[in-house]
């Protein structure tokens, strides 16, 4: 009897162990899903979720494909953009005020006293015979504008009101037979670069070739970089309230000039002049017309010079009647006036190629 009881207890323990193991196994399998008595419902829910995940994945893949196609299309469009060749005033008027146009001027165009407004992103390049005359080219609050290889003959070019990233290169600015000067006027803007341009004055014209800044703004609102340019003429460069970095350029008087000055910094002008040549003989290089009462005034103009030939000093400076202090030394700074945000190189002054000849 004892043996039978022992065997029976072993069998009971064995069956109980199987049940426990089975429960634990089942529990571990379904522990990640909601508890339910309906195993079929659990199976259906799982398949539904899988289908949803697959469908979502397919949608995502399709969206990626569409996005990639758009990028490819945009890239292809950029590659196939063609220049718009212009030979008449009507064509120019129709295209110059459309954003991101790439315009090529093929021949001289009479602007017929029109003011042509440039749109942002416009690039205007000239062929060898590209001349604009008898009108004005103007940009107001524009960005990313480029003017290249154009002769402006009696045609002022002006940029007003918060312009940004304007590049003017390999252009010629000269007066016409009526004495109208092609003045380049930058009133207000950041990232303005003028390079490899020629500015040619007229004997009897006293207007400046380049006018930068305005008395109604502060200097930091008008920042201009000028390099590898040639200035020929009287009163060639004037400014008010502007930060101007002028380097690797040359200045010369016309033969029949009533020599007055080459540079004219006005109130609140900040000049950094480096590696420039002034062919002036005994004539003035610079004329101040700063109305600031003291050198401590916030509007007081300052100048930093480096490697200029000849060096600007008291002997080659004159002063406008409006200038309050009449003292070049008070304007002169021994240190750079601000940190230059771009890379540049001061070339051998004997071999600098200025203009575009």
């Amino acid at each position: 009897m004892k043996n039978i009881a022992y065997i029976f207890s072993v069998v009971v323990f064995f069956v109980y162990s199987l049940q426990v193991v089975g429960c634990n196994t089942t529990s571990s399998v379904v522990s990640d899903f909601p508890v339910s008595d309906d195993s079929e419902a659990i199976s259906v829910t799982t398949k539904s979720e899988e289908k949803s995940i697959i469908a979502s994945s397919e949608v995502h893949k399709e969206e990626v494909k569409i996005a990639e196609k758009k990028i490819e299309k945009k890239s292809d469009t950029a590659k196939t953009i063609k220049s718009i060749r212009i030979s008449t005033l009507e064509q120019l008027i129709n295209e110059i005020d459309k954003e991101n146009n790439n315009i090529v001027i093929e021949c001289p165009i009479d602007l017929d006293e029109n003011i042509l407004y440039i749109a942002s992103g416009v690039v205007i390049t000239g062929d060898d015979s590209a001349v604009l005359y008898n009108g004005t080219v103007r940009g107001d609050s524009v960005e990313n504008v480029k003017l290249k290889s154009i002769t402006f003959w009696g045609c002022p070019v002006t940029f007003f009101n918060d312009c940004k990233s304007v590049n003017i290169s390999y252009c010629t600015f000269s007066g016409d037979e009526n004495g109208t000067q092609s003045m380049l006027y930058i009133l207000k803007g950041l990232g303005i670069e003028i390079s490899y341009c020629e500015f040619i004055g007229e004997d009897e014209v006293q207007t400046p070739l380049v006018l930068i800044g305005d008395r109604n703004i502060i200097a930091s609102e008008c920042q201009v970089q000028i390099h590898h340019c040639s200035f020929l003429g009287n009163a060639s460069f004037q400014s008010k309230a502007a930060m101007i970095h002028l380097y690797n350029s040359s200045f010369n008087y016309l033969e029949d000039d009533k020599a007055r000055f080459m540079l004219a910094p006005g109130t609140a002008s900040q000049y950094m002049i480096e590696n420039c040549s002034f062919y002036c003989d005994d004539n003035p290089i610079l004329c101040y017309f700063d109305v600031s009462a003291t050198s401590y005034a916030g509007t007081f103009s300052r100048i930093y010079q480096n490697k200029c030939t000849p060096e600007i000093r008291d002997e080659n400076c004159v002063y406008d009647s409006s200038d309050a202090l009449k003292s070049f030394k008070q304007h002169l700074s021994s240190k750079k006036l601000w940190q230059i945000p771009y890379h540049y190189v001061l070339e051998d002054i004997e071999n600098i190629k200025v203009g575009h000849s």
Side-chain angles (χ1 to χ4, degrees):
M1 290 296 293
K2 290 182 180 181
N3 290 336
I4 293 173
Y6 175 79
I7 293 171
F8 179 78
S9 64
V10 171
V11 171
V12 170
F13 177 79
F14 180 77
V15 172
Y16 176 78
S17 300
L18 288 176
Q19 290 177 346
V20 171
V21 172
C23 288
N24 288 343
T25 304
T26 304
S27 176
S28 66
V29 171
V30 300
S31 60
D32 294 333
F33 295 92
V35 177
S36 172
D37 294 331
D38 190 346
S39 61
E40 186 175 352
I42 294 173
S43 177
V44 171
T45 302
T46 304
K47 289 179 180 178
S48 176
E49 288 179 352
E50 289 176 350
K51 289 179 180 179
S52 176
I53 292 171
I54 292 171
S56 176
S57 177
E58 292 300 323
V59 170
H60 177 68
K61 288 179 180 178
E62 190 62 29
E63 289 176 347
V64 170
K65 288 180 180 179
I66 293 171
E68 287 176 346
K69 287 181 180 179
K70 286 182 178 179
I71 293 172
E72 289 176 1
K73 185 176 180 181
K74 187 175 181 180
S75 177
D76 291 341
T77 302
K79 291 178 182 178
T80 57
I81 288 178
K82 294 182 178 179
S83 298
I84 302 168
R85 303 193 71 82
I86 300 294
S87 59
T88 67
L89 175 59
E90 183 180 2
Q91 289 177 315
L92 187 57
I93 291 173
N94 289 337
E95 301 298 340
I96 198 171
D97 63 349
K98 295 178 183 177
E99 291 191 358
N100 303 315
N101 263 353
N102 190 352
I103 296 170
V104 176
I105 297 176
E106 297 181 312
C107 60
I109 298 177
D110 183 349
L111 302 186
D112 196 22
E113 299 183 353
N114 283 286
I115 299 176
L116 272 59
Y117 288 88
I118 305 175
S120 289
V122 168
V123 176
I124 306 178
T125 306
D127 283 348
D128 291 340
S129 59
V131 180
L132 297 181
Y133 63 99
N134 190 27
T136 301
V137 176
R138 177 169 175 169
D140 281 351
S141 303
V142 294
E143 298 182 7
N144 302 316
V145 169
K146 293 183 179 181
L147 304 178
K148 184 177 181 181
S149 302
I150 304 168
T151 294
F152 297 95
W153 187 54
C155 176
V157 178
T158 62
F159 287 94
F160 294 165
N161 306 326
D162 297 311
C163 294
K164 296 179 181 177
S165 300
V166 174
N167 186 290
I168 302 170
S169 62
Y170 297 94
C171 291
T172 298
F173 295 80
S174 66
D176 61 17
E177 75 276 9
N178 298 318
T180 302
Q181 182 60 57
S182 293
M183 180 178 66
L184 174 59
Y185 184 14
I186 310 292
L187 184 143
K188 188 178 180 181
L190 302 177
I192 313 298
E193 182 177 3
I194 304 164
S195 62
Y196 296 96
C197 290
E198 295 180 354
F199 297 87
I200 305 171
E202 294 297 313
D203 292 346
E204 302 301 323
V205 179
Q206 299 300 318
T207 55
L209 304 177
V210 178
L211 181 59
I212 299 176
D214 184 80
R215 63 184 178 182
N216 296 316
I217 66 172
I218 60 176
S220 60
E221 293 178 319
C222 188
Q223 300 181 26
V224 182
Q225 172 191 179
I226 303 173
H227 61 94
H228 296 91
C229 288
S230 171
F231 297 86
L232 178 62
N234 185 26
S236 55
F237 194 102
Q238 296 186 34
S239 67
K240 290 182 180 180
M243 296 169 61
I244 300 168
H245 185 206
L246 173 63
Y247 62 97
N248 291 348
S249 295
S250 68
F251 291 76
N252 206 335
Y253 283 114
L254 289 167
E255 290 182 4
D256 299 327
D257 263 346
K258 297 175 183 178
R260 290 173 62 208
F261 49 81
M262 295 176 169
L263 301 174
T267 305
S269 294
Q270 307 295 311
Y271 280 25
M272 291 209 294
I273 307 174
E274 301 186 88
N275 218 44
C276 288
S277 298
F278 300 99
Y279 299 97
C280 59
D281 294 327
D282 295 325
N283 296 314
I285 293 177
L286 186 146
C287 176
Y288 266 109
F289 58 107
D290 188 342
V291 301
S292 304
T294 70
S295 60
Y296 299 102
T299 57
F300 192 68
S301 60
R302 298 192 181 279
I303 181 172
Y304 165 83
Q305 63 174 330
N306 177 33
K307 297 183 179 180
C308 290
T309 305
E311 186 179 77
I312 305 171
R313 57 190 186 278
D314 278 330
E315 290 76 12
N316 49 36
C317 285
V318 293
Y319 303 91
D320 184 79
S321 59
S322 64
D323 191 85
L325 298 182
K326 296 179 173 55
S327 173
F328 171 70
K329 289 182 179 179
Q330 291 193 58
H331 293 282
L332 187 63
S333 172
S334 60
K335 297 180 180 179
K336 289 187 176 181
L337 303 177
W338 67 89
Q339 185 174 354
I340 302 295
Y342 45 81
H343 175 73
Y344 69 102
V345 176
L346 299 181
E347 300 172 7
D348 180 3
I349 201 164
E350 298 295 330
N351 299 311
I352 294 174
K353 292 184 178 179
V354 297
H356 48 82
S357 56

